[in-house]
Amino acid sequence: MPPTGDDAERDDAPGTPVPGGAGPLPPDETAPRAATVVDDEPGPRDPDDDAGEDPGDGRSPYGPDDEAGPDDEPAEPRRTVLLRRLLGDEALALDATPRARLHGWLWALAVTVLAGFLRFWDLARPHALVFDETYYVKQGYSLLARGYEAAWGENANPAFEAGDTSLLGTDPEYVVHPLVGKWMIALGMQLGGGVESSSAWRLAAAVVGTLAVLMVARIGRRIFASTALGTVAGLFLAFDGQAIVHSRISLLDPFLMFFALAAFGALVLDREQARRRLADRAAAVLDAGGTLRWGPGLGFRWWRLAAGVLLGLAIGTKWSGMYFLAVFGVMTVLWDMAARRGVGVRAWHLAGAVKDGLLAFVVLVGSAALTYVASWASWFASDSAWNRHWAEQNPGQGVAWLPPALRSWWQYHEDMWRFHNGLETPHSYAAHPIGWIVQWRPTSYYYPTEISGLTGEQAQAACGADSCSQAILAVGNPIIWWAGAAAVLVALFWLVRYRDWRAGAVLSGIVAGWVPWFAYAHRTIFAFYSVAFVPWVVLTLVYVLGLLVGPVSPDDTERDRRGRRRTIVGVGVFVGLVVAAGVFFYPVWAGWVVPWQQWHIRMWLPTWI
């Protein structure tokens, strides 16, 4: 598995300046560093590159008080020095004033409101079950009406779209995805006006798609220690086609993305909270004249528990959420190892693995597993659900030591696994995962012949031209994805060369959401699965933009400042291109009826048709 977190042991000599970080931290740090900002905020250094000088005996690199003379004392309290080392000056200053906190929320909320407009505007269009909505929307309604997924009669879609649910039967239907995403769709229908409203079918997807923009803006601000960069990240997600399309139709993948992103945000918060706690406790030990040995325990970490629950909900939406659990679990333990190294723990590998890693495994995997099982509560409670009484009907088969209900549930999962692993039905929009990162073969969700077949006066009335088109094409904003593909390579280089924790963080979701699909390339799979990792494509792109701009330094010459201003202007132009492309492609993301020529000029690649 590619690395997804903090740095491993460096070979750099102590004090060697590296991009995004520094060597041992002197009271007045002057080492040059590259950071990530697009405004006048100083860019964040990479505290995880600060391994600290190894005293060789488990002591802090700053020495205990009884061994330091007056001239050897640190210029700041030991807790402050450790906090600077573990989090960086810019992260510590991020919320230092009420004004900074207010701006952090106002800008994030501003791009969220914009995203909400793009997602909720005429959400009911089209009033038809689009693509796999034919499964998930009707299954969501069935969960409300029956408590389980019941089978529908033949040709049920026209009746359902007219608000007639009489074709819903009582026999169970064999379905191959867990329940959480469908319950989310059901909740949206319940709150949004019922089955008669196509906007109600999509309400939950629009809500989580909008909230995802808020989370990306806040997560980006925390990772990059920059309100400006966080805002740009939120703006990019607001104008991405994959994100918009999947906020306007009800499939399962946007819910998978939402829960995985929320779990990632929880772990980013846990990282900061744990490092503050480590600095407090390590400083207390050292101030008392003790040695760190393996370092202090960090107690129970509630944000990590929240991440486990959220990952359980992600897996309860689609099984591919398990890859996010695996990658994020490794990432958070690597963060802990680097933190212990940063305060001077000599056996930081072992200490991080034992003191933090074992508990992290129990908390993350245990809470995710319990949440996943609990997400099947309606299946366990429904006597008529598919395979619910398989164990009683097949005595002596399956996992014999499990209770009957769990034995039936386990058998159902085995059947689902065989289905997913053997799905090789040809499909015209099937796409190999290698092309997902550049949106080579997007999925066309909707292109009704009753619109494209209009001619004469009917066409003129519908779109003002001789021929019309109405399309919903699940293609990402090409400026974001094509630049993002290049940014992935840059971030990989920065991770390997400079061990920048931010590079690992922004790449983690791409590793979890994209890389595993290469093992299933023999299956029928689609490019729209990439919506699960689009937030991390955005974060990776913004990370590289921040590297281009670099930090403000008091040592900058006038030439340096002019160059930085020119770079900021260039980044601003790029942001404008992203927004312009989003506005240009919006009609084919939102299902507008447009002249055929207008549809055609938006098909930039022949593989998009």
Side-chain angles (χ1 to χ4, degrees):
M1 181 182 298
T4 57
D6 293 24
D7 57 336
E9 189 167 4
R10 302 184 55 84
D11 293 328
D12 302 317
T16 302
V18 295
L25 184 65
D28 55 344
E29 180 192 5
T30 58
R33 45 189 168 89
T36 54
V37 294
V38 294
D39 58 4
D40 289 334
E41 301 172 2
R45 56 194 287 283
D46 182 6
D48 289 335
D49 281 340
D50 294 338
E53 297 204 29
D54 186 357
D57 59 0
R59 296 180 184 271
S60 164
Y62 311 104
D65 291 340
D66 59 4
E67 292 186 358
D71 295 335
D72 297 323
E73 289 292 328
E76 300 174 302
R78 186 175 279 111
R79 174 184 177 274
T80 302
V81 174
L82 291 178
L83 277 174
R84 291 179 62 201
R85 173 174 292 277
L86 293 176
L87 293 175
D89 294 333
E90 291 75 20
L92 292 173
L94 188 61
D95 289 324
T97 66
R99 177 180 179 141
R101 292 192 293 272
L102 178 63
H103 282 192
W105 278 107
L106 286 180
W107 284 105
L109 289 171
V111 294
T112 303
V113 170
L114 177 59
F117 174 76
L118 296 173
R119 285 149 178 77
F120 281 92
W121 182 22
D122 201 5
L123 184 60
R125 183 186 55 242
H127 186 78
L129 293 169
V130 174
F131 199 66
D132 282 352
E133 281 187 327
T134 186
Y135 304 117
Y136 306 132
V137 171
K138 289 189 296 183
Q139 288 167 8
Y141 176 79
S142 178
L143 288 172
L144 284 176
R146 301 280 189 264
Y148 61 95
E149 298 104 328
W152 292 79
E154 291 293 327
N155 198 28
N157 282 10
F160 185 90
E161 292 164 0
D164 178 5
T165 59
S166 62
L167 291 178
L168 177 63
T170 56
D171 293 336
E173 181 183 21
Y174 175 53
V175 296
V176 294
H177 289 296
L179 302 172
V180 172
K182 288 169 279 188
W183 271 115
M184 295 286 288
I185 295 170
L187 178 63
M189 279 193 283
Q190 184 74 5
L191 298 177
V195 68
E196 296 84 1
S197 170
S198 51
S199 62
W201 307 345
R202 299 158 185 154
L203 177 61
V207 169
V208 300
T210 303
L211 290 177
V213 173
L214 176 62
M215 287 195 294
V216 163
R218 294 291 296 175
I219 290 169
R221 179 178 183 266
R222 186 66 55 186
I223 291 176
F224 307 130
S226 167
T227 297
L229 284 179
T231 303
V232 170
L235 186 67
F236 282 1
L237 189 64
F239 279 95
D240 179 68
Q242 287 285 0
I244 289 174
V245 167
H246 290 95
S247 300
R248 296 181 58 89
I249 63 173
S250 280
L251 304 187
L252 300 182
D253 301 83
F255 300 106
L256 168 64
M257 178 268 285
F258 174 79
F259 289 123
L261 179 62
F264 178 71
L267 290 175
V268 170
L269 291 173
D270 170 74
R271 176 186 181 275
E272 178 172 332
Q273 186 180 78
R275 287 177 173 231
R276 290 181 180 274
R277 192 176 297 174
L278 178 62
D280 289 343
R281 297 183 181 183
V285 170
L286 295 167
D287 288 342
T291 57
L292 291 177
R293 301 184 187 279
W294 281 20
L298 299 180
F300 194 80
R301 295 158 66 167
W302 292 100
W303 281 118
R304 184 172 274 174
L305 175 64
V309 172
L310 290 163
L311 288 166
L313 292 172
I315 300 168
T317 301
K318 291 187 82 170
W319 282 357
S320 48
M322 288 187 287
Y323 299 116
F324 288 93
L325 173 61
V327 173
F328 290 173
V330 172
M331 178 180 68
T332 189
V333 173
L334 290 176
W335 286 350
D336 286 345
M337 288 182 178
R340 292 190 179 276
R341 184 186 185 195
V343 298
V345 172
R346 183 174 184 180
W348 53 273
H349 298 88
L350 189 59
V354 175
K355 289 184 76 76
D356 302 310
L358 293 179
L359 184 59
F361 179 85
V362 172
V363 171
L364 281 174
V365 176
S367 58
L370 291 175
T371 302
Y372 178 77
V373 175
S375 72
W376 285 82
S378 60
W379 183 88
F380 285 110
S382 301
D383 285 336
S384 299
W386 182 271
N387 257 22
R388 176 61 183 82
H389 294 288
W390 179 89
E392 292 92 329
Q393 297 162 4
N394 297 271
Q397 298 184 39
V399 185
W401 56 271
L402 287 174
L406 288 176
R407 186 151 58 95
S408 298
W409 180 76
W410 188 266
Q411 181 62 36
Y412 189 6
H413 279 62
E414 289 187 358
D415 293 342
M416 291 164 65
W417 169 254
R418 281 189 289 269
F419 172 86
H420 285 300
N421 202 43
L423 182 62
E424 298 181 15
T425 305
H427 195 287
S428 59
Y429 285 101
H432 193 284
I434 198 170
W436 296 0
I437 197 65
V438 292
Q439 300 291 285
W440 181 254
R441 181 56 172 164
T443 310
S444 177
Y445 283 160
Y446 189 69
Y447 195 86
T449 56
E450 55 266 30
I451 297 297
S452 60
L454 294 176
T455 58
E457 293 183 359
Q458 290 180 320
Q460 288 289 337
C463 68
D466 293 334
S467 59
C468 306
S469 291
Q470 185 181 20
I472 298 177
L473 181 68
V475 63
N477 186 315
I479 308 300
I480 291 175
W481 284 84
W482 295 348
V488 168
L489 299 177
V490 175
L492 278 172
F493 173 79
W494 234 254
L495 176 64
V496 174
R497 176 62 183 87
Y498 299 116
R499 312 294 175 89
D500 188 345
W501 79 273
R502 292 178 297 274
V506 299
L507 289 171
S508 64
I510 299 174
V511 172
W514 180 38
V515 173
W517 287 106
F518 284 85
Y520 300 96
H522 63 283
R523 282 186 38 188
T524 305
I525 54 179
F526 301 91
F528 73 82
Y529 296 173
S530 61
V531 71
F533 61 88
V534 64
W536 291 272
V537 173
V538 163
L539 288 170
T540 301
L541 177 56
V542 172
Y543 167 73
V544 173
L545 292 178
L547 290 180
L548 290 174
V549 174
V552 175
S553 170
D555 299 325
D556 284 348
T557 64
E558 180 59 31
R559 180 179 179 182
D560 293 332
R561 288 190 288 270
R562 285 198 304 269
R564 187 172 185 274
R565 285 194 293 268
R566 285 194 292 268
T567 305
I568 291 174
V569 170
V571 170
V573 170
F574 179 81
V575 172
L577 287 175
V578 168
V579 173
V583 173
F584 179 72
F585 280 96
Y586 188 78
V588 298
W589 294 336
W592 288 11
V593 178
V594 298
W596 178 89
Q597 187 64 30
Q598 289 296 315
W599 165 81
H600 191 261
I601 64 175
R602 288 165 172 82
M603 300 299 103
W604 284 5
L605 297 177
T607 53
W608 290 8
I609 300 174

